[in-house]
Amino acid sequence: MRKEKNVDDRTKARTRTVSWKDPVTSVEAARKLSGLEHLRRIRDGMTPNPPIAELLGFSLTKVELGEAVFEFDPAEYHYNPVGTVHGGVAATLLDSAMTCAVQTTCPAGTLCTTLEFKINFVRPIVEKTGHLRAEAKLIHGGSRIATAEARLVDGDGKIYAHATTTCLIFS
Amino acid sequence: MRKEKNVDDRTKARTRTVSWKDPVTSVEAARKLSGLEHLRRIRDGMTPNPPIAELLGFSLTKVELGEAVFEFDPAEYHYNPVGTVHGGVAATLLDSAMTCAVQTTCPAGTLCTTLEFKINFVRPIVEKTGHLRAEAKLIHGGSRIATAEARLVDGDGKIYAHATTTCLIFS
Amino acid sequence: MRKEKNVDDRTKARTRTVSWKDPVTSVEAARKLSGLEHLRRIRDGMTPNPPIAELLGFSLTKVELGEAVFEFDPAEYHYNPVGTVHGGVAATLLDSAMTCAVQTTCPAGTLCTTLEFKINFVRPIVEKTGHLRAEAKLIHGGSRIATAEARLVDGDGKIYAHATTTCLIFS
Amino acid sequence: MRKEKNVDDRTKARTRTVSWKDPVTSVEAARKLSGLEHLRRIRDGMTPNPPIAELLGFSLTKVELGEAVFEFDPAEYHYNPVGTVHGGVAATLLDSAMTCAVQTTCPAGTLCTTLEFKINFVRPIVEKTGHLRAEAKLIHGGSRIATAEARLVDGDGKIYAHATTTCLIFS
């Protein structure tokens, strides 16, 4: 899965093609299932990955009550103009993980939406940083409002970014 | 620039291919120029767009001292599993705009890095929302620390998301 | 209103006595009035200042639809262990102003509660900084969720801290 | 330490008198000691509590490398106009705890200042909520930038508010 690193950076092909499934299928599935069931189906490939996950190259790898983990491999196509992975990519992963951690607590017939999140960047991320995990946990689960936190870590547990969120739960 | 909307959503092709230039070129350019000059060259196409901007389909359209604007057209490839543009896309645009607003104040030989940002989502974004602008302004410009704010708005000035950031400036 | 500054700091009396009215009176008033009317009564002294405002020495001086201003004079009793006004004091003022800016939009029979706020400190505040204003404005006013922003400024408009908030509105 | 609750709320005396020591003493002490030593002296009463801690009635009860705890008893003098403890009080406690958690990692000759913090309020706090602890831990400790998180909890570990912060460390 990890790319070769010894290719000449100045001459390698710089193109990416992605494809995705109609997201409406997933939206309809979401309405009939509890959050936990819906997310497990995405994790297991029974409901297609959303377009943004295909585009940025990340996937949901763990779903438990109050917990969710997304993973990705930093790549040049994530880069900002200063030669590191754009903060928005880390934000997308952490936001996904936090919202899903909240969603695991939502019964069928309810939806959750992200009101806000806040993210700190504590180390730069580059292609050779290697595989990263966005690990999220519920902090407070209320009937209308829930909060969660997440950390973007490498295999050694080193933190690259961390975040918190506030979500609204409604029928 | 805007895509046809009357295609059948269930059968249309769902694939996206992007290409980008070696980001090292841009990084080297950044070192020799002031932030304002560097960003103007990106805006004018003299320095290539960073990979993430090609991937997500956004571009820098305005650069003034203490100000920056990025624009994009929301598309299905930005969608999350609930059928709206992923919050991480809005975050990427607003983060870009805020960091660039700070960068316009950085003399040659200094760099700025985003320590953190915080984003609020106040309206859902879908493909038919149409063209959006992420408009950022410097709030406080210090020698070591700067803060900025940004809003994601449509052509009528309606707000979809807003954010603030803290950046570190260093030699 | 401003204190004498030429007293010897090492020998001056360091004591503060405050008194306040039963806050229940204010709470009952809040239930029957619109947010705008309720806050105007506090501004005009017809409803007593809340205890925290007496304790920290701040007061509501402006209330308009979507706007609120609180003011205070930084004093030694606000100091933290490094000899400046504690960030929590600026936070209390900005939080008050932002929540009130939202509350001005709430009809009678609804209440608003602060879900979260985020504050940046951009300049230290000391006693001789002098009179400061926490000026807040509504950013987005929805039926359930509202957001606002505020800045702590001196008479010249110089910014000392700035913040944003998310509030929940309910019946 | 806990006050009698069966007094008639409508007739009880509503006055508070506090006194504090010249904060300059503490500031001078801070310059010569490591953050850990300085804070231990405050915890042990060898360096006086800062004025704000006397005013709001809170104290530092635990200091370890990368950790700090402040405690207080919610009281009517902390109340906002809706009859609960003002969010700014929780913010002051959490900010104090987080900044001190960072400060424990600062060698003598360095200072740390809070760039920003973000706080979520997840349960209302009233006088009868009883004793609360603001427990903070370092998340990331860099040479220039550090981040920390904190939770305001009761004796059963129930969370009332939680926060994160970004601090700047300098010589």
Side-chain angles (χ1 to χ4, degrees), chain A residues 18-27 48-56, chain B residues 3-5 7-16 55-56 72-86 89 125-130:
Chain A
V18 297
S19 60
W20 61 93
K21 294 289 193 313
D22 181 359
V24 172
T25 314
S26 175
V27 176
N49 250 343
I52 188 71
E54 296 296 339
L55 188 66
L56 291 177
Chain B
K3 288 143 211 143
E4 289 294 312
K5 305 291 186 204
V7 59
D8 180 355
D9 272 1
R10 306 240 165 187
T11 58
K12 73 176 178 186
R14 295 190 152 89
T15 183
R16 175 171 170 80
L55 187 66
L56 291 177
F72 85 123
D73 286 295
E76 192 180 284
Y77 60 82
H78 296 128
Y79 275 26
N80 61 26
V82 293
T84 58
V85 169
H86 194 292
V89 176
I125 301 167
V126 292
E127 194 166 7
K128 69 176 181 201
T129 300

Side-chain angles (χ1 to χ4, degrees), chain C:
Chain C
M1 191 75 84
R2 298 281 298 282
K3 288 141 208 146
E4 288 294 312
K5 304 292 186 202
N6 57 357
V7 59
D8 180 356
D9 272 0
R10 305 240 166 188
T11 58
K12 73 176 178 185
R14 294 189 152 89
T15 185
R16 175 170 170 79
T17 298
V18 296
S19 60
W20 62 92
K21 295 289 191 314
D22 182 358
V24 172
T25 314
S26 175
V27 175
E28 287 170 356
R31 290 212 185 101
K32 294 171 195 159
L33 300 172
S34 72
L36 191 57
E37 288 168 294
H38 173 54
L39 293 172
R40 280 183 173 157
R41 292 178 66 91
I42 293 177
R43 179 199 62 191
D44 298 340
M46 296 161 72
T47 296
N49 251 343
I52 187 71
E54 297 295 340
L55 187 66
L56 291 177
F58 66 88
S59 54
L60 178 60
T61 57
K62 186 183 173 189
V63 183
E64 301 294 339
L65 190 62
E67 285 184 53
V69 176
F70 281 84
E71 307 192 28
F72 85 124
D73 287 294
E76 193 180 284
Y77 61 81
H78 296 128
Y79 275 25
N80 61 27
V82 293
T84 58
V85 169
H86 194 292
V89 176
T92 303
L93 269 280
L94 291 172
D95 177 22
S96 296
M98 293 187 294
T99 304
C100 288
V102 170
Q103 216 181 332
T104 62
T105 69
C106 295
T110 61
L111 283 173
C112 102
T113 187
T114 304
L115 296 177
E116 62 85 34
F117 71 81
K118 187 256 194 260
I119 181 169
N120 272 80
F121 304 99
V122 300
R123 282 188 179 89
I125 301 168
V126 292
E127 194 166 7
K128 71 177 180 201
T129 301
H131 197 71
L132 293 176
R133 293 163 54 86
E135 303 178 340
K137 278 188 188 169
L138 190 75
I139 299 177
H140 171 78
S143 56
R144 262 185 311 201
I145 298 293
T147 63
E149 66 184 351
R151 292 178 180 197
L152 191 63
V153 295
D154 65 16
D156 299 326
K158 199 187 283 186
I159 301 177
Y160 291 80
H162 55 87
T164 61
T165 195
T166 311
C167 294
L168 178 69
I169 299 166
F170 57 98
S171 303

Side-chain angles (χ1 to χ4, degrees), chain A residues 9-10 13-24 26-28 30 38 42 50-53 55-56 58 76-83 86-89 91-92 95-96 103 111 114-121, chain B residues 9-10 13-24 26-28 30 38 42 50-53 55-56 58 76-83 86-89 91-92 95-96 103 111 114-121:
Chain A
D9 273 359
R10 306 239 165 186
R14 295 189 151 88
T15 185
R16 174 170 172 81
T17 297
V18 297
S19 60
W20 61 93
K21 294 289 193 313
D22 181 359
V24 172
S26 175
V27 176
E28 287 170 357
H38 174 55
I42 293 177
I52 188 71
L55 188 66
L56 291 177
F58 65 89
E76 193 180 282
Y77 60 83
H78 296 128
Y79 275 25
N80 62 27
V82 293
H86 194 292
V89 177
T92 303
D95 177 23
S96 296
Q103 215 181 332
L111 283 173
T114 304
L115 296 178
E116 60 85 34
F117 71 80
K118 188 257 194 257
I119 180 168
N120 272 80
F121 304 99
Chain B
D9 272 1
R10 306 240 165 187
R14 295 190 152 89
T15 183
R16 175 171 170 80
T17 298
V18 297
S19 61
W20 62 92
K21 295 289 192 314
D22 181 358
V24 171
S26 175
V27 176
E28 286 170 357
H38 174 54
I42 293 178
I52 187 72
L55 187 66
L56 291 177
F58 65 89
E76 192 180 284
Y77 60 82
H78 296 128
Y79 275 26
N80 61 26
V82 293
H86 194 292
V89 176
T92 303
D95 177 23
S96 296
Q103 215 180 331
L111 283 174
T114 303
L115 297 178
E116 61 85 34
F117 71 80
K118 187 256 194 261
I119 180 169
N120 272 79
F121 304 99

